[in-house]
Amino acid sequence: MSEKCGEGILNGAVPGEATKKDENPKRGNWGNQIEFVLTSVGYAVGLGNVWRFPYLCYRNGGGAFMFPYFIMLVFCGIPLFFMELSFGQFASQGCLGVWRVSPIFKGVGYGMMVVSTYIGIYYNVVICIAFYYFFASMNRILPWTYCNNLWNTENCAGVLSPNSSATFNISSQHSLLNLTMGLNQTLKRTSPSEEYWRRHVLNISGDIGDFGEVRLPLLGCLGVSWLVVFLCLIRGVKSSGKVVYFTATFPYVVLTILFIRGITLDGAINGILYYLTPQWDKILHAKVWGDAASQIFYSLGCAWGGLITMASYNKFHNNCYRDSIIISITNCATSVYAGFVIFSILGFMATHLGVDVSEVADHGPGLAFVAYPEALTLLPISPLWSILFFFMLILLGLGTQFCLLETLVTAIVDEIGSDWIIRWKTLVTLGVAIIGFLLGIPLTTQAGIYWLLLMDNYAASFSLVIISCIMCIAVMYIYGHRNYFKDIEMMLGFPPPLFFQFCWRFFSPAIIFFILIFTVIQYRPIKYNDYVYPDWALTIGFLMALSSVICIPLYAVFRVWRSEGHTFLQRLKNAVKPSKDWGPALLEHRTGRYAQISSSRCDSNPEAQPLNPEKLKDDLGLTIHGSNGQAHTQDSKV
């Protein structure tokens, strides 16, 4: 018994320890704080930073959009990021286990799991398409350069194809200016990259209900992407923490290479000016502020459960306040930097076509798989730049996908909590990966792009806002802001700054509510190019959105029904108050008001003690060193 009780102190942050061991031997910890920061950066910095933010920026006033964007970062983004990191780190639990703080709200954790499941399914399909383009780029000539392929139509007009089957003909001696004039006179010009995307990669059907056949090349790439994700998470954070040294940093190398190449091209300055030129009159429009708030909220990955999960593997005294500021600012700076990379190339393309930048600018899959690849065909050694670009997209996607899968696996393992499930966590990871692969197969059919965009627009939209709002209310007003501030002070050695206290209690919930109202007001039925989704498809979209939110009231009813008490009010009171095992996971950290609870736990279940009883007899004061080098001296009353 004493050996088991002494196991925790051997794995804690003990001064003079010869071998670095985990503070929490049962769950494990990050190898060091750099791994956590890089993983969180990889999680927050995703595809949206490249294909959504630049488009929002130029559409909402260019440089003027930066003002509301950074206002929302300060008053909503960073505070929510800090709250989720501190929440997971304090309890050392995933998105389900943390709700011991108020069990009636455990449905919020299940809602996070549902959202992460939806996102994980379609996000890996996007990664698999990037894999497909990555492999296709390994040719001397990019396959979407010319119009002389089997999948091209008579409307195809390539800027580099003198023998294309367009609706006009030119000789090889004609200048690019004449080609541009011909393009502008064409009634319906489609680019080789667009036809490659629609007719070859997707072979898209005419309706969301017409699944057609499974696109076997995409299915193979989907298997490759899920295999890569599984192998990187085969040992949980121990293996993914090593992988992120490459996956989280190399995209910045690629961005820098593409940026240097882009700004040296003719017309690049036009694209950058279009991206940054401020239109101050737009700053008075509510839509600009709504887009800024929404982009901050979704870009940082709030309410997905991933931040709570990643922070749960931190050591208890890690300075997550510092980490939250570093990661949030890095994420937003990456978005701005990516805008230079994207618009320098698009400006070059617009100059060659003789059109305005707005006519070639796009967002989402249209930017990543149509507009930008077409621009790359105009560059010398275009396959090299294409390989770099799609490799960057793969790494950006994998960084987010790692955390999505780990969120689900950690929630399952923490919820069961037995030794055998921890021992066989790798099999749980494999099982979740296989299920994710099978659920992603319909998205590789000819109607897959319709379903992918439906999930992207509905499964993780207003439901995330509702989940985040309820989380703020539960922690600040049900559990109590004073209790939470004391928990953070016990963990970090200092209370949260007054600014964050006010944000958590007032500003951030108000901004989240504003985002919800803005989302409802600005709602428009989804379309894909000229295709309008039928009503039954929109109904499925709303059901996917509600499936995560409905977990909250359903579990609340279940919890009240299972709680002790003779009356409804007694049951409700018992369901709301923190459970007995709420607090720090290790007994050495359970001080203050948690000491009495942990003492009774030791008496009732001595085998669960992670501390050495002999050590406690000798030392009533326990000094614990955090990852920031700061020592915390606390009274051990166990």
Side-chain angles (χ1 to χ4, degrees), residues 336-622:
V336 176
Y337 187 38
F340 286 93
V341 176
I342 297 298
F343 274 89
S344 61
I345 298 290
L346 294 182
F348 164 70
M349 180 181 178
T351 299
H352 269 259
L353 292 176
V355 298
D356 191 70
V357 178
S358 61
E359 296 187 31
V360 297
D362 204 346
H363 69 290
L367 171 66
F369 302 119
V370 178
Y372 205 83
E374 182 179 17
L376 293 176
T377 62
L378 304 175
L379 300 178
I381 328 177
S382 56
L384 171 63
W385 309 115
S386 183
I387 289 173
L388 287 174
F389 175 71
F390 288 110
F391 189 52
M392 177 190 69
L393 290 186
I394 291 170
L395 295 182
L396 289 175
L398 287 176
T400 302
Q401 190 68 17
F402 291 159
C403 296
L404 290 171
L405 183 59
E406 185 62 38
T407 297
L408 298 175
V409 173
T410 297
I412 295 171
V413 172
D414 284 349
E415 185 67 7
I416 298 175
S418 59
D419 290 338
W420 69 266
I421 196 74
I422 295 174
R423 188 181 307 114
W424 298 106
K425 183 179 177 180
T426 300
L427 292 182
V428 177
T429 305
L430 177 62
V432 174
I434 292 175
I435 294 173
F437 169 74
L438 295 177
L439 293 176
I441 292 178
L443 302 186
T444 62
T445 63
Q446 291 177 263
I449 188 65
Y450 298 123
W451 290 98
L452 189 151
L453 294 176
L454 185 72
M455 296 178 70
D456 184 42
N457 281 271
Y458 288 90
S461 57
F462 70 88
S463 55
L464 284 176
V465 183
I466 296 175
I467 289 173
S468 184
C469 188
I470 293 177
M471 184 181 71
C472 284
I473 294 173
V475 175
M476 289 294 106
Y477 295 100
I478 305 301
Y479 177 60
H481 62 276
R482 291 186 179 87
N483 289 332
Y484 195 67
F485 297 161
K486 290 178 182 177
D487 291 343
I488 291 181
E489 183 174 9
M490 183 176 74
M491 179 174 64
L492 300 182
F494 57 88
L498 286 175
F499 173 76
F500 284 87
Q501 295 183 22
F502 279 105
C503 284
W504 288 342
R505 295 179 62 192
F506 307 112
F507 298 149
S508 296
I511 293 175
I512 295 172
F513 185 72
F514 165 72
I515 297 174
L516 179 61
I517 299 300
F518 171 79
T519 304
V520 173
I521 294 175
Q522 293 292 322
Y523 170 76
R524 299 289 184 276
I526 182 178
K527 294 195 306 181
Y528 178 58
N529 294 334
D530 296 329
Y531 176 76
V532 179
Y533 280 69
D535 291 339
W536 64 266
L538 298 178
T539 302
I540 292 177
F542 279 111
L543 290 177
M544 284 192 293
L546 290 175
S547 63
S548 56
V549 177
I550 199 66
C551 295
I552 301 174
L554 288 181
Y555 187 85
V557 172
F558 169 77
R559 188 69 192 187
V560 171
W561 177 60
R562 292 293 302 269
S563 297
E564 298 178 353
H566 299 291
T567 65
F568 172 76
L569 289 179
Q570 289 177 343
R571 291 174 179 268
L572 180 62
K573 182 179 179 181
N574 289 329
V576 168
K577 69 180 182 181
S579 61
K580 294 180 180 180
D581 52 355
W582 161 249
L586 300 182
L587 290 182
E588 62 194 78
H589 300 141
R590 298 181 71 90
T591 59
R593 68 180 187 276
Y594 297 103
Q596 185 175 359
I597 299 175
S598 60
S599 178
S600 62
R601 270 174 47 181
C602 280
D603 295 337
S604 62
N605 187 13
E607 291 191 1
Q609 300 178 41
L611 284 180
N612 188 334
E614 300 300 324
K615 177 70 175 176
L616 291 176
K617 291 180 182 178
D618 297 336
D619 299 322
L620 292 179
L622 181 63

